[in-house]
Amino acid sequence: MGNYLHNLRRRRHKRLRDVAGHAAADQRVAVIGLGRFGSSLANELTRRGWDVLGIDTDSTLVQKHSDILTHSAVADCTDPVVMRQLGVGDFPSVVVGIGTDIEASILIASNLLEEGVPNIWAKAISRQHGQILERLGVHHVVLPEHEMGERVAHLVTGRMLDFIEFDDDYALVKTITPTTITGVPLGESAVRTRYGITVVGIKRPGQGFTHATAETVVEKGDVIIITGKTRAVETFAELS
């Protein structure tokens, strides 16, 4: 499971870079499935100024979010004719937010691929579901429960306040400063050579975040942002 999720993240980040220029030029997206995942995503994209079409077979869900979304429709996108009538194939980005009905998720993804949608995101509820979507050719597969579980596990088991992992086994972490590097400039504490991490930001109690330099002296109680290989930042965050 760990290797699968890691490889999935790497492929997703690479594909995201490949389509970033296209997505930035056309901020239209269709979100199919307005459950908790789809509605949250659709509402956030709308808040950010995107032109969002929200679609669901449940009229109650569509009505609930119709005042927020740019456009909304009650429709069954497992039917390719219905999808064409809605013009979903003309959108540069489409999100399949359906998780519980795996058959519907796969059928809709297949329809989108047939329509030639250039940027398809799909939610998966299991490793097997994700593998099927990838084999179909879906550009971005998201496993929100698994990825959030992995993130929270890092927060529960250590001193981390936040954890974000990128491709190539690289992570960004917010954590409490360990006493081993307090009281001296970062350049003298040699965190890079000793721990394999870089301190990029610092926040003192009652103050905002500032960039860290070699001359920055961190003190007990400071919150720091560190980056480096995942295992290195995990080890550093365990220091007391």
Side-chain angles (χ1 to χ4, degrees), residues 31-38 41 95-100 105 121-123:
V31 178
I32 302 172
L34 296 176
R36 285 179 296 179
F37 174 78
L41 174 67
V95 178
V96 183
I98 298 170
T100 54
S105 167
W121 295 76
K123 174 186 175 181

Side-chain angles (χ1 to χ4, degrees), residues 15-126:
R15 289 166 181 159
L16 183 58
R17 289 193 297 268
D18 292 342
V19 301
H22 176 77
D26 191 340
Q27 292 188 324
R28 293 182 302 135
V29 61
V31 178
I32 302 172
L34 296 176
R36 285 179 296 179
F37 174 78
S39 62
S40 176
L41 174 67
N43 290 336
E44 178 62 19
L45 288 171
T46 302
R47 188 186 69 80
R48 296 187 182 195
W50 280 57
D51 188 345
V52 181
L53 168 62
I55 307 170
D56 201 289
T57 56
D58 188 333
S59 60
T60 302
L61 284 176
V62 173
Q63 180 63 33
K64 179 180 178 181
H65 300 287
S66 61
D67 291 340
I68 300 173
L69 303 178
T70 317
H71 315 282
S72 58
V74 179
D76 182 1
C77 287
T78 61
D79 186 340
V81 175
V82 171
M83 185 176 286
R84 293 190 192 101
Q85 290 174 341
L86 290 172
V88 176
D90 297 328
F91 280 73
S93 299
V94 178
V95 178
V96 183
I98 298 170
T100 54
D101 190 340
I102 295 178
E103 181 179 357
S105 167
I106 293 169
L107 283 172
I108 292 170
S110 298
N111 290 341
L112 293 170
L113 289 164
E114 285 289 330
E115 290 296 311
V117 175
N119 192 22
I120 303 170
W121 295 76
K123 174 186 175 181
I125 60 171
S126 68

Side-chain angles (χ1 to χ4, degrees), residues 152-166:
V152 172
H154 279 91
L155 307 184
V156 169
T157 59
R159 293 161 51 87
M160 298 182 193
L161 303 176
D162 208 348
F163 174 90
I164 302 173
E165 188 171 20
F166 302 95

Side-chain angles (χ1 to χ4, degrees), residues 8-25 92-93 118-121 137-140 167:
L8 185 62
R9 277 194 297 268
R10 293 189 63 179
R11 288 192 292 270
R12 187 166 72 245
H13 281 288
K14 180 180 183 301
R15 289 166 181 159
L16 183 58
R17 289 193 297 268
D18 292 342
V19 301
H22 176 77
S93 299
N119 192 22
I120 303 170
W121 295 76
V138 171
H139 310 110
H140 314 279
D167 55 345

